Amino acid sequence: MFNDTADEDLMVMYQKGEVRAFEVLLSRHRKPVYNFILRFVGDRETAEDLLQEAFMRVIKGAEAYKRQAKFTTWLYTIARNLCVDQTRRRKHRKHASLDAPMDAGEESGTLMDVIPGSEMASDRKSVNKQLHEQMQRAIAALSEDQREVFLMREFLDMPFKQIADVVGVPENTVKSRMRYALEKLRLELDEYKDLAKAAP
Amino acid sequence: MTEPKPWMSLPDEEPPERGLAELMAAARMKAEVMANPRRGAWRRLFDVLRRPPVLALATIVVLLGGVIVVGKHPDRIVAPSDQPVATPPGAPEIRSESKANDVAPPAVPPSVPATVPPPRVTAPKHLSKSPPVMQAAPELDSAFEGADEAAVQAPGQKGAVEKGAAQKVVADPLARCRAAANRKDCAGAKACAHEVEKADPSYYRANATQDAALKSCL
């Protein structure tokens, strides 16, 4: 019923008390927001908490939402702010090691295990794992400013203008940050170029 | 030709179901609140006040309040402009007289008699026959005299003073002449007596010629 409806219209319908509209919004954006947060903070449990918090804030602020604003801009601004706050808090505590266990439990893996594997031949699986590990390492090595821009641009396919709105900086600054992020990633992943070509 | 983007091979993860039920419960609660927005306190109060029974009650309260206020201070009600200004309770006769004859208000300030020329008074019974100059209204004269004396007396004595002034009107012509004669002002007494004679010769003959004090001057 609401599948073809624009996000903004769904939000207006939710403001009028239509819970089904919010359900559609949730099903549409839950996965991309979760993956954005996960790649930003690099911790599955924290990503779950932040995803929950982001949608809670959407619910709380639903009354204040204006139809003129793009829903995804609003949603990713909330998510991004939560991520930035979280990483700043973590910086004050300690620097997370990429290879350290993500939490105290025995079943918890390292940050590298965030990338799930798919059903593949063992050699291909190994190559992919290696590549993914290196990519994740390279993304994590980006500065916070560059990382958020890179994630929104490359994984969410957001236009620069919208990224600028989310981050709250001029569009040219966003482009500049993106350029530096790509240069850094290319340098980091240069030795894996052949590996990437071989990967499916 | 675009460069390959190796990071695009990073697969997306499915978010866990944990917390989804809580999220939907919160969304439902918020939807109910948004569907039935609470009106502001002032708006609700205004709506209550606009109801007909409240308006009727307010009208009754205002009317009763008005009656109570007017009933408490009846003296503060302003008289129409053509009516004389209310006098103190000590001068009821003056008030009625002035009303009947439509004369100037009796409560003349004390300075007024000083500027008014001395009244030319004659006996009241000849007023209709007297020339216009001599037709000084006795009410006016008495009012002036009353006011003159009232200026130096307490308000409670004002009634008695005015009664005496009314009697004085009758004997006034000769009394003034007599007073002048008593002061040894024979010229004044003569002039006064001449005026009385001119106005009413018979009265003059009957009274002035018999008066002992006047006789010495005439």
Side-chain angles (χ1 to χ4, degrees):
Chain A
M1 181 184 166
F2 296 130
N3 289 339
D4 298 332
T5 314
D7 291 342
E8 292 73 26
D9 294 331
L10 286 171
M11 199 60 200
V12 171
M13 287 161 84
Y14 177 55
Q15 282 178 326
K16 290 173 184 169
E18 185 61 70
V19 186
R20 180 85 187 100
F22 181 77
E23 266 187 74
V24 175
L25 279 173
L26 194 61
S27 64
R28 228 179 246 182
H29 295 287
R30 206 161 158 263
K31 190 175 172 181
V33 172
Y34 174 72
N35 281 285
F36 169 75
I37 295 171
L38 181 60
R39 283 165 186 149
F40 201 113
V41 298
D43 175 0
R44 200 172 284 128
E45 199 172 327
T46 308
E48 282 176 27
D49 291 345
L50 294 185
L51 175 73
Q52 185 83 356
E53 181 59 28
F55 277 101
M56 275 294 183
R57 287 191 185 187
V58 168
I59 291 168
K60 282 180 189 168
E63 269 173 317
Y65 175 77
K66 297 274 181 285
R67 174 72 181 75
Q68 291 78 11
K70 198 168 164 59
F71 175 75
T72 47
T73 304
W74 182 46
L75 176 63
Y76 281 100
T77 304
I78 292 170
R80 179 253 176 194
N81 288 343
L82 286 169
C83 290
V84 169
D85 289 348
Q86 174 63 28
T87 48
R88 280 177 194 164
R89 270 202 299 271
R90 201 161 54 183
K91 260 183 205 170
H92 285 296
R93 285 184 216 141
K94 60 177 182 179
H95 290 281
S97 164
L98 289 172
D99 297 320
M102 286 189 287
D103 50 43
E106 280 181 15
E107 291 176 10
S108 68
T110 64
L111 192 62
M112 297 305 144
D113 298 329
V114 164
I115 316 301
S118 50
E119 297 300 320
M120 281 181 264
S122 60
D123 56 336
R124 180 67 57 84
K125 199 175 172 183
S126 167
V127 167
N128 269 327
K129 192 169 185 248
Q130 200 181 349
L131 180 63
H132 290 161
E133 280 174 6
Q134 185 56 30
M135 279 193 294
Q136 188 63 29
R137 204 187 299 270
I139 291 168
L142 292 173
S143 74
E144 197 177 274
D145 291 344
Q146 291 169 2
R147 188 161 68 236
E148 63 187 8
V149 170
F150 171 78
L151 290 176
M152 280 187 262
R153 179 69 184 165
E154 293 298 317
F155 290 96
L156 299 170
D157 215 18
M158 270 191 196
F160 283 118
K161 176 76 181 72
Q162 194 179 354
I163 297 171
D165 289 341
V166 170
V167 178
V169 294
E171 198 177 329
N172 284 337
T173 308
V174 171
K175 285 177 182 172
S176 166
R177 284 177 187 175
M178 183 65 193
R179 194 172 63 246
Y180 284 120
L182 288 174
E183 279 174 14
K184 203 169 179 181
L185 282 174
R186 273 184 206 120
L187 280 174
E188 291 278 331
L189 299 172
D190 195 45
E191 55 183 303
Y192 293 92
K193 203 186 284 179
D194 297 333
L195 202 62
K197 280 175 187 167
Chain B
M1 191 179 151
T2 56
E3 273 187 71
K5 292 178 176 178
W7 47 85
M8 291 312 290
S9 65
L10 283 172
D12 279 346
E13 253 194 77
E14 278 299 323
E17 296 294 309
R18 185 172 66 87
L20 200 57
E22 283 172 35
L23 213 54
M24 284 314 297
R28 258 179 233 109
M29 276 176 63
K30 185 71 179 178
E32 278 175 28
V33 171
M34 287 191 295
N36 307 304
R38 278 188 67 192
R39 291 172 299 166
W42 287 110
R43 180 75 200 166
R44 276 179 284 150
L45 181 68
F46 184 67
D47 287 347
V48 167
L49 290 178
R50 273 197 320 176
R51 287 181 187 162
V54 181
L55 286 177
L57 187 68
T59 309
I60 291 167
V61 167
V62 167
L63 286 175
L64 282 176
V67 167
I68 289 167
V69 168
V70 170
K72 271 188 177 175
H73 306 285
D75 53 322
R76 285 192 189 171
I77 298 169
V78 180
S81 57
D82 58 333
Q83 294 291 317
V85 179
T87 53
E93 290 139 341
I94 292 173
R95 196 173 171 180
S96 61
E97 262 187 295
S98 57
K99 265 186 192 171
N101 298 307
D102 202 18
V103 198
V108 180
S111 61
V112 174
T115 57
V116 173
R120 298 172 180 182
V121 188
T122 182
K125 60 178 179 180
H126 302 294
L127 278 176
S128 57
K129 293 175 187 173
S130 305
V133 179
M134 299 300 291
Q135 283 182 2
E139 298 89 351
L140 186 61
D141 285 340
S142 66
F144 281 143
E145 281 172 19
D148 204 8
E149 287 176 28
V152 293
Q153 290 184 20
Q157 296 171 326
K158 209 172 178 181
V161 170
E162 281 167 4
K163 272 186 183 175
Q167 288 170 355
K168 218 174 161 185
V169 170
V170 182
D172 186 53
L174 281 180
R176 281 180 57 219
C177 304
R178 200 178 298 118
N182 286 339
R183 288 196 308 267
K184 306 291 183 196
D185 179 14
C186 282
K190 268 183 188 173
C192 173
H194 183 65
E195 275 182 14
V196 174
E197 186 185 9
K198 204 175 170 184
D200 193 348
S202 60
Y203 175 78
Y204 175 78
R205 274 194 299 277
N207 296 290
T209 53
Q210 306 300 318
D211 195 283
L214 281 172
K215 257 186 193 174
S216 60
C217 279
L218 293 176

